[in-house]
Amino acid sequence: MIEVTNLVKRYGKNTVLNQATFTIQEGQLTTILGPSGCGKSTMLRCMNRLERFDRGSLKIGDVEVLGTEQKQLSTAEEKDLTRRLRERVGIVFQNFNLFPHLTVLGNVIEAPMTVKGMERSQATDLARQYLNKVGLSEKEPFYPAQLSGGQQQRVAIARALAMEPEVILFDEPTSALDPQLIQEVARMLRALDELGKTLVVVSHDMNFARRISDQVIYFEGGHAVEAGTQQEVFNNPQREETRAFMRSFQDEEAPLSSGSEK
């Protein structure tokens, strides 16, 4: 479903993504894990065309994107490529990015109507289907400011689902959430995984990644250092960079877990 090959993204002289290469199979729930500043959120934004990358290639389904240094696009070509990619790839932002002036229902129907040209009645039926899926049917007339953080996140997930994408990206979905809500997010992602969607989650939360992932990709220095099942990456990492990251996490957790059985 997703092939990233030698992808390079620079901001001026700062190379944020450095020859990033990895694959994600259709229907997998993959977590991109790594320390802050390793390029994982930038990678996610490149996958949804929110960022243009400089070199390399990105292929999602049957849509292929090349770096700007390799292929210059006209305005019309750029618009068409972005539309085709975003029809296949939805994103749930870390801060949700809901429209504050629209109700819950209004937020969910906006993209199907605007991007896909769907009739309001059809978009409304679809929105209600996914609001029910995330347990927010009763919140249709509410505005984002009237919702809790966890509820806003579920609206953002329903909004992504309403575009019926093949791939959904999640940027740090557990940041600033309490442990109970983190468990709720984990359950919801596994439920979405059962719909056959390909899910890509960027996170620095190792416990969360261990709980939800089919595949874990460890990112450091702007590229994928190691990839495998969550058991392989957490229990038997092959690269020293991954082992060092795991050790640092265990050292941080040790005082909290002393005296408990493992």
Side-chain angles (χ1 to χ4, degrees):
M1 177 58 74
I2 301 172
E3 296 179 32
V4 176
T5 307
N6 296 328
L7 195 144
V8 174
K9 169 65 181 177
R10 308 183 195 93
Y11 293 105
K13 295 182 179 179
N14 182 26
T15 300
V16 180
L17 295 173
N18 186 12
Q19 303 288 329
T21 300
F22 58 87
T23 61
I24 296 174
Q25 301 302 314
E26 183 176 1
Q28 275 190 330
L29 197 167
T30 296
T31 300
I32 299 177
L33 186 70
S36 297
C38 69
K40 56 189 186 294
S41 288
T42 300
M43 184 69 251
L44 209 69
R45 293 174 67 84
C46 288
M47 293 166 71
N48 191 243
R49 202 76 177 144
L50 291 168
E51 297 279 0
R52 277 50 169 171
F53 54 92
D54 299 294
R55 296 197 63 79
S57 67
L58 164 67
K59 188 175 182 181
I60 298 183
D62 60 355
V63 180
E64 184 172 21
V65 184
L66 297 177
T68 56
E69 293 177 2
Q70 296 157 265
K71 187 172 183 179
Q72 294 290 327
L73 300 178
S74 68
T75 301
E77 288 172 330
E78 172 67 35
K79 185 176 180 180
D80 179 65
L81 178 62
T82 300
R83 177 191 59 77
R84 289 192 294 122
L85 191 66
R86 290 183 182 170
E87 284 179 351
R88 290 159 177 79
V89 183
I91 187 166
V92 178
F93 295 96
Q94 183 175 351
N95 296 320
F96 319 132
N97 287 11
L98 299 177
F99 297 113
H101 64 290
L102 295 179
T103 64
V104 165
L105 183 63
N107 266 279
V108 180
I109 67 174
E110 181 69 17
M113 289 171 57
T114 304
V115 178
K116 288 192 167 182
M118 198 176 288
E119 294 291 335
R120 178 176 288 272
S121 60
Q122 184 183 0
T124 298
D125 289 344
L126 195 64
R128 285 176 172 155
Q129 172 188 334
Y130 287 118
L131 285 170
N132 181 61
K133 179 74 179 175
V134 300
L136 285 180
S137 295
E138 77 284 359
K139 298 294 185 181
E140 274 188 26
F142 286 62
Y143 288 87
Q146 298 172 297
L147 305 177
S148 68
Q151 289 170 336
Q152 289 183 42
Q153 184 178 59
R154 282 187 278 162
V155 174
I157 291 171
R159 180 173 66 178
L161 285 168
M163 288 295 287
E164 302 198 308
E166 300 165 16
V167 177
I168 305 179
L169 313 174
F170 295 83
D171 189 8
E172 297 284 3
T174 62
S175 64
L177 295 182
D178 62 42
Q180 184 176 353
L181 283 175
I182 290 174
Q183 290 184 17
E184 182 181 320
V185 172
R187 286 193 297 269
M188 186 173 301
L189 289 177
R190 293 310 316 187
L192 296 181
D193 193 32
E194 291 168 7
L195 292 176
K197 303 292 185 185
T198 302
L199 309 179
V200 184
V201 180
V202 157
S203 181
H204 64 272
D205 186 333
M206 290 179 61
N207 287 328
F208 183 71
R210 186 191 290 269
R211 188 181 308 165
I212 67 167
S213 305
D214 298 319
Q215 177 180 227
V216 173
I217 299 173
Y218 177 65
F219 244 64
E220 189 174 306
H223 67 278
V225 172
E226 185 165 353
T229 67
Q230 59 94 357
Q231 292 93 341
E232 289 169 342
V233 174
F234 284 108
N235 299 335
N236 189 30
Q238 300 300 299
R239 298 293 297 271
E240 177 54 36
E241 299 98 315
T242 316
R243 291 195 290 268
F245 183 75
M246 298 300 172
R247 285 195 299 269
S248 68
F249 178 79
Q250 290 165 357
D251 290 345
E252 289 175 6
E253 291 295 298
L256 299 177
S257 58
S258 60
S260 63
E261 293 185 5
K262 294 192 176 182

